[in-house]
Amino acid sequence: MHLRSIVLTLTVLAAGVRAGAQDVRVEVVEAATGKPIVGANVALLDSAQTIPLGGGFSDQSGRTDLRAPSSGNYRVRADKVGYDTWISVQLRLGDRPVIVRVGMTPTRIPTPMLPRSETACQQLTGPGTPAGDVWVELKKALTASAVTEAQGLVPLDVDLYERVLDRNLAVLSERAEQRTKVSRRPLTGISWDQIDSSRRGQTSNSDVYRAPDAATILSDQFVKSHCFAAIRGYGPETGLAGLEFRPARVGGQPELAGVLWLDPRANALRSLSFDYVNLPIPLRIARTTGRVEFQQLPGGQWIVPRWYIRMPRVARVTSTDVRSPSISRDSLIGY
């Protein structure tokens, strides 16, 4: 994170009539112009700057209110894609409210100019590298998306579709379901016995393939178990900055590989394209695909307006050759 002390402005005022104890009133503006910044993810941190203790998004006037769980020492952090992360000095919260004016400075998102490579994938080491710089910006949007979902800030009406396709992607059957006022994306997935008909009953109910959420990508376990490379957009993603990831270990358990796509011009996280890799041999017949799209609302919250996952369906097929009728093999029958 790049912290610029010259843009830090902090004011402590006497308690107002409407404010209570341990209240923090935050105003987020552009440091150079004083223009309100809408949709900044503002969080209250403990004194060690490690644990978020609550947060919200700055509104149309750049303001949001936070409340500490008790008296003590805290810091305020403000994040938004396209701006340097801002962290306040240590605040002592007690009987009087604190007003914090946050001056954020635009940052330049580097455009990676790296072609896709089998050797460029490395562990994330923080800012200062192409992958690290792109991750800093992506992490801001992913964190805001995770906060939106975890706090149930945006109830949505959701349409779910489960389709069975043949090998040529024609729809054989479809089941639709509607859910209203859903605050979290339904964690529906595809189970093993839906894709490998020859092994029904041989696996546990935990063998389910799902589209990843923001919290999964942000987790320390995910970051440490994958390598990353900054790549330039291609095809439909031309002009976007991509962060490609794949498992650090080859041949382990089924894992995720893919690309997170960031739009440097709009300061927006666009999508996550992913595949499952290290799959059992029967499922390696055809590529798995999936996509999660992201959208920032006018109030700053991030939602997933659309996502899908597609897995192959395989079956054990006996040879039709009369000379060797006992030979069977795994065959792709659809998706």
Side-chain angles (χ1 to χ4, degrees):
M1 296 180 181
H2 304 288
L3 304 182
R4 301 183 181 181
S5 57
I6 59 174
V7 302
L8 187 151
T9 305
L10 178 65
T11 308
V12 180
L13 300 182
V17 176
R18 292 175 295 175
Q22 296 95 46
D23 280 347
V24 183
R25 292 179 172 178
V26 182
E27 182 182 10
V28 186
V29 299
E30 289 187 355
T33 65
K35 179 182 177 181
I37 294 178
V38 181
N41 182 19
V42 184
L44 194 64
L45 308 178
D46 63 358
S47 58
Q49 305 181 34
T50 57
I51 304 176
L53 301 174
F57 295 91
S58 55
D59 60 18
Q60 296 297 321
S61 61
R63 295 187 173 93
T64 188
D65 294 330
L66 308 176
R67 170 172 275 267
S70 62
S71 299
N73 297 322
Y74 302 90
R75 295 180 189 268
V76 172
R77 181 185 67 201
D79 272 330
K80 184 175 173 65
V81 179
Y83 291 88
D84 287 345
T85 296
W86 187 96
I87 298 181
S88 75
V89 297
Q90 186 168 274
L91 310 174
R92 177 66 185 179
L93 301 184
D95 296 332
R96 297 184 177 184
V98 172
I99 295 181
V100 177
R101 183 177 171 86
V102 176
M104 301 188 74
T105 302
T107 189
R108 185 183 71 85
I109 302 175
T111 302
M113 297 302 294
L114 300 177
R116 304 191 75 170
S117 169
E118 295 300 322
T119 60
C121 194
Q122 300 175 347
Q123 293 287 319
L124 282 178
T125 57
T129 63
D133 290 343
V134 176
W135 173 244
V136 167
E137 298 305 309
L138 288 168
K139 190 174 181 180
K140 297 172 187 177
L142 289 170
T143 299
S145 178
V147 168
T148 301
E149 189 166 13
Q151 297 184 5
L153 300 179
V154 184
L156 300 171
D157 294 338
V158 178
D159 292 329
L160 295 174
Y161 300 90
E162 182 179 305
R163 296 181 176 123
V164 177
L165 313 178
D166 65 15
R167 293 183 57 169
N168 298 317
L169 305 184
V171 178
L172 299 178
S173 65
E174 176 179 289
R175 182 179 67 85
E177 178 185 352
Q178 291 183 326
R179 300 183 187 181
T180 59
K181 304 303 179 184
V182 177
S183 59
R184 298 190 179 189
R185 178 162 61 94
L187 294 177
T188 55
I190 301 174
S191 63
W192 178 282
D193 61 4
Q194 289 178 288
I195 53 184
D196 188 353
S197 60
S198 63
R199 291 164 178 80
R200 282 202 178 106
Q202 298 181 19
T203 57
S204 67
N205 293 331
S206 62
D207 294 317
V208 178
Y209 299 92
R210 294 185 172 92
D213 57 13
T216 298
I217 305 297
L218 287 168
S219 67
D220 289 340
Q221 179 182 358
F222 185 90
V223 172
K224 292 178 181 178
S225 63
H226 288 74
C227 60
F228 298 82
I231 62 173
R232 59 171 173 253
Y234 50 90
E237 281 78 30
T238 298
L240 303 184
L243 185 66
E244 186 178 40
F245 60 88
R246 56 179 181 262
R249 293 179 56 191
V250 178
Q253 296 296 316
E255 262 285 10
L256 287 167
V259 184
L260 287 155
W261 292 108
L262 182 74
D263 187 342
R265 294 165 297 185
N267 293 328
L269 170 63
R270 291 302 187 203
S271 63
L272 161 64
S273 301
F274 67 92
D275 298 286
Y276 269 100
V277 295
N278 297 340
L279 289 171
I281 291 177
L283 302 186
R284 298 179 188 180
I285 293 175
R287 182 184 176 191
T288 66
T289 58
R291 181 179 175 90
V292 181
E293 298 177 2
F294 296 90
Q295 178 184 346
Q296 187 174 30
L297 303 181
Q301 304 91 341
W302 286 81
I303 65 169
V304 174
R306 182 176 183 269
W307 66 270
Y308 74 85
I309 179 173
R310 188 175 72 191
M311 299 290 290
R313 292 188 301 124
V314 299
R316 201 71 176 168
V317 177
T318 303
S319 174
T320 57
D321 190 340
V322 295
R323 294 170 297 180
S324 54
S326 60
I327 296 178
S328 62
R329 57 184 175 85
D330 294 307
S331 179
L332 175 69
I333 60 175
Y335 299 88

